[in-house]
Amino acid sequence: MVFSLDGFGNERRFRAAWDAVQIVRDVHYSLFTFGASDLPYYLILSGDKQDQAVSVTQGEVKITRPMIITPDRASPEFEDFFEDADDENLAQFIMARTASFSNLKFRNQTGSKRLVSDSVEETVAKLSQKLDSEDEDRVAILTAPAPLAGFAVLRYASERIMQSVPDNIQELREKGFLPFN
């Protein structure tokens, strides 16, 4: 999906991409307050109208927090999220204005993509059943239209960070970096 960066419409296009992806199987653990955290996932992509093929890719986002607390002026770094430079520019443009993930480094590592004959829903059900039978509670399942793969992974990583904030603040308090209220 190609987006032009024409100003006002960027937020609408970003919101449309964000809303088109889903985290259908979330995980419920906090990211590390210090150091690096790994977010494993399966990404199920639906084909476009001409190509109805469904693909599955296993991947992992590595989020590295700075070892030294620095001013919030540094921008987050995203590596291997987007195939299209316009999509990456749009995400950087919006994230710089809406989310405070300064100093974080995000690296998306993916395995090979495999095509499946099932629908997106059937693929989600089979993967969920497999992960449940393995008692695997740290692997998410994401779905998206094929052109929005990077946005699906970005949304997953962003939501994990936001949901981890209360636990991270508590840990900072316990280590004496923040006062108790």
Side-chain angles (χ1 to χ4, degrees), residues 21 38 43 94 105-106 113 122 129 136 156 167 181:
V21 302
D38 299 333
L43 176 60
I94 296 298
K105 294 181 182 181
F106 298 80
K113 183 185 295 188
E122 291 169 327
Q129 184 178 28
E136 179 57 69
Y156 172 51
D167 291 336
N181 286 347

Side-chain angles (χ1 to χ4, degrees), residues 63 71 79 83 87 116 127 139-140 145:
I63 301 174
E79 183 180 332
E83 292 179 16
D87 288 349
V116 296
L127 273 175
V139 179

Side-chain angles (χ1 to χ4, degrees), residues 20-95:
V21 302
Q22 292 186 315
I23 301 167
V24 294
R25 184 179 195 270
D26 202 0
V27 296
H28 302 285
Y29 67 94
S30 290
L31 302 182
F32 296 123
T33 304
F34 300 100
S37 294
D38 299 333
L39 297 174
Y41 65 85
Y42 281 100
L43 176 60
I44 302 169
L45 300 175
S46 58
D48 58 24
K49 290 181 175 124
Q50 293 84 18
D51 177 15
Q52 294 299 319
V54 172
S55 67
V56 177
T57 304
Q58 189 171 4
E60 181 175 75
V61 177
K62 293 199 175 281
I63 301 174
T64 307
R65 297 181 186 262
M67 297 306 286
I68 299 173
I69 297 175
T70 59
D72 286 341
R73 290 187 285 282
S75 298
E77 296 178 28
F78 297 99
E79 183 180 332
D80 297 327
F81 276 77
F82 301 98
E83 292 179 16
D84 185 280
D86 287 338
D87 288 349
E88 183 171 351
N89 290 338
L90 177 65
Q92 289 279 3
F93 176 82
I94 296 298
M95 295 301 277

Side-chain angles (χ1 to χ4, degrees), residues 159-179:
E159 288 185 7
R160 290 299 333 132
I161 290 169
M162 290 184 285
Q163 292 169 356
S164 296
V165 168
D167 291 336
N168 295 153
I169 290 172
Q170 181 62 31
E171 184 176 354
L172 288 170
R173 283 190 175 123
E174 289 170 0
K175 293 193 181 279
F177 291 109
L178 295 174

